[in-house]
Amino acid sequence: MKRWLTRRWPAPHWPSVRGRGRADAGPLLLTAAVIAAVALLAGAVPALLGAAADSAVQDTVRRAGQDSNVLVRADWERDDGPTGGRVRTARLADDVDDFRARAAYALGPDLDAALLPPIAVVNGPILSITDGSAPRTFQFTYLAGDLGGPDVTWVAGSAPGPAVTDEFVETPYNGPPWPVQVGISEAEATSLHLGPGDRIPVKDGQGRDRDVRISGIYRPADSADPAWRLAPALLRPAPGADGVGTTRFAGLLSAESLPDARLAVDEDQLRRTIHFAPVPDALTWDTTAALASQVVKLKAASGSSGARDESLKWESQLDTTLRAARTRIGAVAVQAAVLLTGVLTATVLVLLLAADLLVRRRTPALSAARQRGAALPDLGAELAIESTVVSLSAAAVGLALARAAAPGVSWAWAVPAVLAGAVAGPTFGILAAARASRDRRQPANRAARRWIRATGQLRRAAVEAAVLIAAVAAFVTLHQRGLLSVASDGDTGALTGDTILPTSAPALGVLVGALVLLRLLPLGARFALRQALRSRRPLAVFGAARAAATAGRALPLLVLVSATALASFALILGTTVTRGRADGAWSSVGADARLDVGAEAGVATPAVAERIAAAPGVGQVVVAQVTDSARVFSDSTLFTPRLVIVDADAFQRLLATTPLPDAPALARLTTPGPGPGDVPALVRSSDGELRTGTRLQLPRDDAPAIRLTAVGTAPSVGGAGDVVIVDAAALAGAGLPAVPNTVWVTGPGAARAVSNSGVAADVVLRADVLRAQRVAPLTAGLVRLAWTAAAVLLTLGLLGLTLAAAAGASERWQTLTRLRTLGLRPRDARWVAAGEVLPPVVVAAVCGPLLGALLARLTLGPLDLRLLTGQAADPGAVPPWWLLGLVSVALLAAAATVVPVESALRRRDRLSEVLRAGE
């Protein structure tokens, strides 16, 4: 008969299953608690990360403001008349509506759902108000949405009307100024001292009078209407909008007066734009890739900016904003995966140790069952049923708690813990039962014993070599490709097969270090025993002997070293991000405060800087011209770095008074160039293409290009990767004077001085940037995860210490009790027990934090933490030595309590029972 016909399915003995479960309820509940806690963390973190990713996308778009709007422009159809004049287009507002509808149709359904209804903005040129001594400007604007313009209440006069009632009117090009009616706000009417029927005295840039008349005074029904944000001067006068000391006023056009506005200025001076503002709450991580792709397609299909026709010309930074958000989210995803991998590694080791303890307790019962004829498959099935029920039940509880605490749940990260809990116990139990019933005897032949010992050593070496090879492969992959590039291949943000190996690099590195210590600890214990044998201290001999006898146990040392090292790694990661946020705020702003002046007010920047420097509490004030994406050539290759034209000496003094890195190379900018006519420059390049000695050319309009020579490495300016810094005086001597548009200010009074500058500019405060980084969803979430992972890992380490002590407690105290029969005092017994327990704990307490610091130094660079901290380069590891010291102290303190607790629990053991147990 075939052998498979004689096989049978395992037949579990259910009373034995229930009996073992009741007898070992404590260890089983402990295993279930570990699995449930880790399942809670592993199940909640991906869901919380997804929610943080959505919040990060929305937060990024909100911070971008109008820069994330989708804009489309189109020129007007020419208004040439049949007799050589200009024709008044009575239905010009309908053309604007058609233009808006055409732009909305071109968006597509997905992009249209993520954007607010379009708002059409028609702006006239900036006109100068001629009466009064203060410089004032004026601009008329037409706003129109799907439901018309923003609602207003006319408190005096009426809405602007047409200048003529005829349907067809043609006016000569050189005729008198064409009248146009506008409405002004109450605040503007009060400031101008004008009312309905009055004429606003204005001239254009060429000194020609323009006929602008006030038809009425309005009050906005809702000043928070999104349309008003596109023209804030329509609500109230805007100081500094057109330069220092100037005030801009604005007039509201109606559909009836819009045709007159076109005739009131030159043909190309009335510009129309459609604004699509994104809806931040409608944006999610899952939709960003598709939306960014659609925006890119719109810009690719855009008409030429030089074409004077009605083709749609799209402009937007929304795709860049979304890609930047996706990059940061991808970085946080892999950083969180690194922390979770560490937690799972320590969890699996603790579960293995718990299973080892459980099997040690059950070995007599398993041996007896085996001797009574129980088959190994039956015992394995019984143990597998028990461990599977415990593991799955605990995981279900943990995932249920995760679902209650988080917006979703992910079960994938909980699988390793469940598998370890379900497989470890049955595997160890079957091996213990098999060894108990094995009839193989120890060979008397020395060569055979040597062969058996060599076989065991080869097996151990094979396992260690496999771990070492995996660790080397992980580190090589991590440093050659980086985590971010690997994670972005699929562009999904999920953990894939390509990311498993590099994200496991810290955990594998910890295992390699623990295996090395496992090799060294027995050598050290035997050396200590030899030294103790030469002494006259019997307690030292007993303690060293017990330590040498137990030094070869692998699981306790692996658990202790891995948990402490990975907890230290998590603490270093969290501290590095926290410190990096402060450094990133300095790098992003460049000072305590920065003023980014608009192009209209750029010529008055030096005067603004002088006024700020005179304010109380201001230390350093430096002005510069900062041009993003400047055109610089090197050997016919175009580069677009950030060009900074600044007083080199003042900029060097500024860097010396801030935490920013000093730049001694700035002193070279004030010396003559290496060649005649060359201007020295400092360069910085993210890809290394711009380096010292490179010759560059800075093109000019209607003039020869200025030759630049790189004489050193430039400091980072505003976090830009490619930077070129030139001294303002040297560049002015070469024929290109600077027009400053940036003011850096330091000192305790910098924020107030910059905020009260009285110029239309963007105020960037370092305190605000740091505050925003602290509450940013991704950064705050990663820091919380790092602290949580450190706490969980430290708890697992302490639990591993307790399990390791409990696993060897019976044998340890049996030996010590026998020594007591030979005259060893109870106090001396406790010292001997401490000598056995402390060596692996001391090794873990000393080497674990050091190993974690080493791994942080090796792996934090490829983790791309700069994407969260805002720094120009990856931050270096910042070990919090006092926290690492607390980890070591906690481990040592826990070990110090193990022996007294064990001694108290064993106090009632009778010597006669202990002696009989060894028979």
Side-chain angles (χ1 to χ4, degrees), residues 476-487:
V476 170
T477 304
L478 179 64
H479 283 272
Q480 286 189 349
R481 298 186 60 186
L483 283 175
L484 188 57
S485 61
V486 173

Side-chain angles (χ1 to χ4, degrees), residues 29 58 129 228 281 389 452 551 554 570 653 723 726 749 828 831 906:
L29 289 176
Q58 298 164 9
I129 300 178
W228 297 117
D281 294 337
V389 170
I452 293 175
R653 290 193 299 270
V723 179
V726 184
D828 298 336
W831 280 110
R906 299 278 178 174

Side-chain angles (χ1 to χ4, degrees), residues 66 119 143 149-152 218-235 252:
Q66 294 188 17
I119 299 176
L143 300 175
D151 295 333
V152 297
Y218 62 85
R219 178 185 302 157
D222 181 12
S223 58
D225 191 305
W228 297 117
R229 301 175 194 169
L230 304 177
L234 289 173
L235 295 178
L252 182 64

